[in-house]
Amino acid sequence: MNTFGFSVGRALMGCFALLALLAGCTDAYMPDVIGTPPGYLVVDGFLNAQGVTTIRLSRAFAVASKAAAPVETRAAVTIEDNTGARLLLAETSTKGTYASASQQLNLNRQYRLRIITLAGKEYASAFVPVKITPAVDNLTWRINGNGLNFYVSAHDAANATQYYRWETDETWEIRPPYAPVVEYVTAARAIRPIAVPYPTVCYGNMRSNAVLIDKTTALTQDVVSDFPVKQLLPASERLYTRYSILVQQHALTKDEYAYWELLKKNTESIGTLFDPQPAQLTGNVRCLTSPDEVVLGFVGAHSVSEKRLFISRTDLPAGWPRISGYENCVPPDTVFLKPKGMVPPPKPEEVLLTAFGPQNMLPIEEIYIAGFLGGYTTKPRDCVDCRTRGAATRPSFW
């Protein structure tokens, strides 16, 4: 869905500018300009009215590029209100990501983001009012023929919200099928009992890129009821043991909602002659140094409300398939110390070096043949070390 290959964090999924070049195309077509796009600044984030503001700065890059998206480092980033007061955002250990201290924005003021790059270019978003996001009333799940479906409900008794956006953040357990009892030490060219065992459980995480928005302007009350935010198929490996989903709710202004609505159309409704034609996406960030320069992103100011729920395997229908994601890793392979058919036979240390020296294959346990050590079971690292699929550190909320 990232048509131009823009690195836009979890939310901005490409298709920002230049999409008009694709209008009317029924066959796949990649204009030259998309292959080498200008290095437009991409601003991803919002001003958190009640907490830490996190802003990610990057540059547009070619869709065919296999390199990581170029990030904008060592910039001076500040939050500025309409009285001139400023709050600094410091670059974090993640390059191109800037964060503030926790703050409370004044509801009687307007705020904007101001950026000065290392090259000396200056950018600023438009001043916007502060909105307080109402609480998430309910986060529920139901099972139907399509699988496991999640729904969010919310309301604002003051009828002051009307425009909503949601993000989802999923976490699930990953349990590999093997727990090695031995390891190969390259320096010694030998196998020994494992000194530091591999983790037996890791935690996968996925933050959604879907644009989830709704408005209540056509209703007599500012109420959102059972808005669908996520669906998992019965065979999802995320449901293997335990699963959690966090839903974060954002209150938008009318202009910010229009921005996300156009982004949604550009990224999700392109493909047939009957779909809406792509349009150029205009945010509220401008280059003050070069007014004609295109900048991608919309910076709003609001608080965030959230709700989390957990689902265990026992909560799901017994007839659903239980998929771990490691199905292709079973059964294990075997490395024999005396391979058949090799004349003269290699020395055992040569066999071990060839099999395990590159560390792509990991030994699991010993195999004995007629009472003698005959070899080792083995599998690729991805089948053994769950850190290739997630993090071994248990989340604080787990």
Side-chain angles (χ1 to χ4, degrees), residues 319-378:
W320 278 17
R322 190 175 185 186
I323 305 298
S324 68
Y326 287 103
E327 281 68 26
N328 293 331
C329 294
V330 180
D333 301 318
T334 303
V335 171
F336 293 100
L337 295 179
K338 295 182 178 180
K340 295 181 180 179
M342 297 185 69
V343 180
K347 296 179 180 180
E349 58 267 26
E350 294 174 344
V351 173
L352 296 178
L353 178 62
T354 300
F356 304 123
Q359 297 292 313
N360 297 323
M361 300 290 291
L362 299 177
I364 299 172
E365 60 184 3
E366 301 162 329
I367 292 178
Y368 288 88
I369 302 174
F372 296 93
L373 179 63
Y376 298 88
T377 56
T378 181

Side-chain angles (χ1 to χ4, degrees), residues 32-365:
D32 292 338
V33 69
I34 295 179
T36 56
Y40 298 142
L41 180 67
V42 181
V43 182
D44 178 23
F46 65 96
L47 309 182
N48 192 338
Q50 298 177 340
V52 175
T53 291
T54 301
I55 301 293
R56 286 160 292 276
L57 301 180
S58 61
R59 291 284 175 174
F61 68 108
V63 67
S65 174
K66 296 182 180 179
V71 295
E72 189 71 27
T73 64
R74 301 169 65 185
V77 183
T78 55
I79 298 173
E80 182 180 78
D81 70 23
N82 55 353
T83 70
R86 295 184 179 184
L87 174 68
L88 176 68
L89 277 68
E91 189 167 12
T92 69
S93 57
T94 302
K95 292 184 178 181
T97 298
Y98 302 80
S100 72
S102 182
Q103 83 271 317
Q104 301 282 327
L105 299 185
N106 189 326
L107 299 182
N108 296 317
R109 297 181 184 178
Q110 294 192 344
Y111 292 84
R112 70 176 180 180
L113 187 72
R114 197 177 189 95
I115 302 162
I116 302 177
T117 66
L118 185 62
K121 280 198 170 183
E122 190 169 359
Y123 302 83
S125 63
F127 280 107
V128 293
V130 179
K131 298 195 72 171
I132 297 301
T133 301
V136 176
D137 289 338
N138 209 2
L139 175 60
T140 59
W141 60 273
R142 294 196 295 272
I143 292 172
N144 58 30
N146 296 324
L148 181 61
N149 295 272
F150 297 89
Y151 305 90
V152 64
S153 297
H155 81 283
D156 183 355
N159 289 329
T161 301
Q162 295 189 314
Y163 300 97
Y164 295 80
R165 184 172 72 88
W166 297 273
E167 294 177 291
T168 63
D169 193 348
E170 303 170 87
T171 305
W172 62 94
E173 287 186 348
I174 302 170
R175 294 185 177 268
Y178 304 109
V181 296
V182 294
E183 64 181 350
Y184 181 75
V185 182
T186 303
R189 295 193 176 187
I191 287 184
R192 70 181 184 189
I194 194 165
V196 180
Y198 290 98
T200 57
V201 57
C202 290
Y203 302 88
N205 180 261
M206 178 63 69
R207 197 166 182 90
S208 174
N209 282 330
V211 179
L212 304 172
I213 54 175
D214 196 19
K215 61 183 179 181
T216 63
T217 53
L219 305 178
T220 56
Q221 293 181 310
D222 193 354
V223 176
V224 176
S225 180
D226 284 349
F227 181 86
V229 292
K230 186 66 185 178
Q231 181 185 86
L232 290 175
L233 298 178
S236 173
E237 63 191 54
R238 300 178 188 183
L239 301 175
Y240 182 64
T241 55
R242 194 171 188 232
Y243 169 88
S244 176
I245 183 170
L246 173 72
V247 172
Q248 295 179 316
Q249 182 168 279
H250 305 259
L252 309 181
T253 62
K254 181 179 180 180
D255 289 343
E256 191 173 3
Y257 181 89
Y259 169 85
W260 284 101
E261 185 176 39
L262 184 56
L263 176 59
K264 181 180 179 68
K265 291 178 180 177
N266 281 346
T267 56
E268 299 178 4
S269 301
I270 299 173
T272 76
L273 293 175
F274 304 101
D275 287 326
Q277 293 302 315
Q280 182 169 331
L281 191 66
T282 302
N284 70 342
V285 186
R286 301 289 181 266
C287 181
L288 304 183
T289 310
S290 303
D292 293 334
E293 180 179 325
V294 174
V295 187
L296 309 178
F298 195 111
V299 180
H302 54 265
S303 62
V304 180
S305 61
E306 59 185 34
K307 190 173 286 287
R308 178 184 296 278
L309 61 76
F310 291 86
I311 294 179
S312 297
R313 182 68 199 185
T314 54
D315 298 326
L316 303 175
W320 278 17
R322 190 175 185 186
I323 305 298
S324 68
Y326 287 103
E327 281 68 26
N328 293 331
C329 294
V330 180
D333 301 318
T334 303
V335 171
F336 293 100
L337 295 179
K338 295 182 178 180
K340 295 181 180 179
M342 297 185 69
V343 180
K347 296 179 180 180
E349 58 267 26
E350 294 174 344
V351 173
L352 296 178
L353 178 62
T354 300
F356 304 123
Q359 297 292 313
N360 297 323
M361 300 290 291
L362 299 177
I364 299 172
E365 60 184 3

